[in-house]
Amino acid sequence: MDNAILSAAFITLLNVLVLFIAMGLVGRARGKYGIKAPACSGHEQFECAYRAHMNTVEQTVMFLPVLWIASLNGFELWAHWLGAAWIVGRIWYVLGYNKAPQARSGGFLIGFLAFLGLFILSAIGLYQNMH
């Protein structure tokens, strides 16, 4: 199998793991604070866990396409490292948000910069391969 595909698949699998962990933190907070489904509010710590998870889902929708587009259009090494940085940023974001809302900003910044890099590489790669 092509290295670009293996690398993007590995980062994608790590993304799924981050989502799973964030989901588990929401479930734990539901039980700890007595928040019955389908409620999405009630205790500040639950809301932090919930928002960290939902924001990660929202970011994943944008992250995965640019990861794969950059990987398959000539930037597999850059895509791998930027994807890994995004994963690290998301872990920091999720754990930070679960600790205190203000502790999430460093992770958000890392993830945002990694996403921006992947977006730019995706656009360049597509442009180069279309001409």
Side-chain angles (χ1 to χ4, degrees), residues 8 11-12 59-73 75-76 78-80 82-83 86 111-123 126:
I11 297 297
T12 299
Q59 295 293 315
T60 293
V61 171
M62 298 186 308
F63 166 69
L64 288 179
V66 294
L67 170 71
W68 281 90
I69 293 167
S71 294
L72 297 174
N73 282 281
F75 294 103
E76 57 273 356
W78 280 99
H80 177 82
L82 287 170
W86 189 89
F112 173 76
L113 293 174
F115 167 79
L116 187 60
L118 287 166
F119 181 86
I120 291 168
L121 291 177
S122 293
L126 283 173

Side-chain angles (χ1 to χ4, degrees), residues 7-80:
S7 177
F10 176 70
I11 297 297
T12 299
L13 189 60
L14 289 177
N15 185 191
V16 171
L17 181 60
V18 170
L19 287 166
F20 183 77
I21 291 167
M23 179 183 69
L25 291 171
V26 172
R28 183 178 78 176
R30 271 194 192 282
K32 184 174 182 179
Y33 301 110
I35 310 297
K36 305 280 187 228
C40 296
S41 62
H43 189 281
E44 184 177 354
Q45 285 305 117
F46 166 76
E47 291 174 14
C48 288
Y50 180 78
R51 280 307 311 146
H53 179 237
M54 287 296 102
N55 187 267
T56 301
V57 170
E58 295 160 2
Q59 295 293 315
T60 293
V61 171
M62 298 186 308
F63 166 69
L64 288 179
V66 294
L67 170 71
W68 281 90
I69 293 167
S71 294
L72 297 174
N73 282 281
F75 294 103
E76 57 273 356
L77 187 59
W78 280 99
H80 177 82

